[in-house]
């Protein structure tokens, strides 16, 4: 067994190639082989969001603080708040982030397939982020 202590690893700033705005990532524990699940605690400042992306085995998001938006392509944009949880099906193009005015923090739970948990695409344009 391993216990991962809170704040035992420095926070990191999410790379601008994959995110818009200010996004902080804090480490949580990940499965070891043969497990395939990884986790992340991600905080989006107002206006910040992921780029469009897909997950080969889907993803669960658990909103732990604030209020944000999540959207799959061609579907409605959902507003989510602390305590809400979200399932994103495998290979469904989507993004997640803050709202334009409020920060949001979520835990992301993601399984990998052949060593990959995400495929990144283009940034979410401001007009698409705001319109939903
Ligand atoms: Mn995702």
């Amino acid at each position: 067994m391993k216990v991962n202590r809170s704040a035992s690893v420095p926070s990191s700033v999410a790379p601008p190639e994959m995110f818009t705005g200010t996004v902080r990532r804090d480490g949580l524990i990940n499965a070891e082989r043969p497990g395939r699940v990884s986790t992340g605690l991600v905080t989006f400042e107002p206006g910040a969001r992921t780029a469009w992306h897909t997950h080969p085995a889907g993803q669960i998001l658990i909103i732990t603080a604030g209020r944000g938006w999540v959207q799959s392509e061609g579907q409605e944009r959902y507003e989510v708040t602390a305590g809400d949880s979200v399932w994103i099906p495998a290979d469904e193009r989507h993004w997640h982030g803050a709202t334009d005015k409020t920060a949001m923090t979520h835990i992301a739970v993601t399984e990998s397939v052949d060593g990959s948990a995400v495929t990144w695409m283009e940034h979410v344009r401001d007009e698409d982020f705001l319109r939903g």
Side-chain angles (χ1 to χ4, degrees), residues 43-115:
T43 297
F44 300 84
E45 295 301 322
R49 66 273 189 181
T50 68
W52 289 101
H53 63 285
T54 61
H55 303 285
Q59 183 178 53
I60 290 170
L61 302 177
I62 302 163
I63 316 308
T64 58
R67 185 162 57 92
W69 287 332
V70 299
Q71 186 176 30
S72 288
E73 189 168 46
Q75 300 183 28
E76 103 179 66
R77 187 190 67 191
Y78 292 97
E79 186 168 297
V80 290
T81 60
D84 293 346
S85 49
V86 180
W87 166 244
I88 298 149
D91 300 320
E92 189 165 288
R93 224 171 99 91
H94 70 285
W95 58 269
H96 27 110
T99 72
D100 58 337
K101 294 183 173 60
T102 61
M104 185 271 278
T105 302
H106 67 46
I107 293 172
V109 181
T110 316
E111 282 190 296
S112 59
V113 175
D114 298 328

Side-chain angles (χ1 to χ4, degrees), residues 30-39 54-59 109-119:
N30 293 320
E32 297 181 3
R33 293 164 65 88
R36 292 182 297 270
V37 69
S38 62
T39 60
T54 61
H55 303 285
Q59 183 178 53
V109 181
T110 316
E111 282 190 296
S112 59
V113 175
D114 298 328
S116 173
V118 58
T119 299

